[in-house]
Amino acid sequence: MKTEDEDIREAWQSAMDSLAAYGVFATRIINAKRRMYRTASPSFHSLLPTFDDHFDKMQRCVDCNTNFMRLVVDRARQHALTEATRLKPLSRMEADLVLSAFRSFVRDWSEEGMYERALYYS
């Protein structure tokens, strides 16, 4: 039976692994959607002629988020004095948790979340 400390350490490591693996996971999704778009009919492409640019923008956002998460993970691992481990594949649930954390972070620190931020942090 695991101790509470072992459970916490395992959950923390899983969170760090999920953050670190996000970029690979998100890039695979973008690439799959790009491939699907490219197999669409020419008439469909005429409806969305610049949609390929949208995939490029999505990839730039993923790259930026990945760099940010790499900083977070590196700092957290240094702070906790743990060694980086080999990344395991990211599950859909873990990816959803990472995306949810990003959405909350962006909302909390954007103009949209200014009112709540003032209530909670002031």
Side-chain angles (χ1 to χ4, degrees), residues 21-22 27 34 40 47 53 57 75 77-78 80 95 111:
Y22 164 81
T27 296
R34 189 187 303 258
L47 297 172
D53 296 337
K57 181 180 179 183
R75 178 59 100 177
R77 284 188 169 141
Q78 287 172 2
E111 187 174 328

Side-chain angles (χ1 to χ4, degrees), residues 26 89 110:
S110 68

Side-chain angles (χ1 to χ4, degrees), residues 1-80:
M1 184 151 175
K2 288 190 278 186
T3 67
E4 185 177 352
D5 283 347
E6 289 170 328
D7 282 340
I8 290 170
R9 186 172 202 70
E10 189 175 292
W12 182 88
Q13 187 63 51
S14 178
M16 293 300 102
D17 288 347
S18 296
L19 288 172
Y22 164 81
V24 172
F25 183 86
T27 296
R28 284 184 185 148
I29 290 174
I30 292 169
N31 289 340
K33 289 181 180 186
R34 189 187 303 258
R35 282 190 303 274
M36 193 181 314
Y37 171 75
R38 288 184 177 161
T39 63
S41 68
S43 61
F44 182 82
H45 282 254
S46 69
L47 297 172
L48 302 165
T50 61
F51 206 65
D52 234 0
D53 296 337
H54 177 70
F55 292 118
D56 294 337
K57 181 180 179 183
M58 288 171 53
Q59 187 61 55
R60 286 191 302 273
C61 291
V62 165
D63 292 344
C64 182
N65 291 344
T66 299
N67 288 334
F68 171 74
M69 283 189 269
R70 188 175 299 125
L71 292 172
V72 169
V73 169
D74 289 348
R75 178 59 100 177
R77 284 188 169 141
Q78 287 172 2
H79 182 70

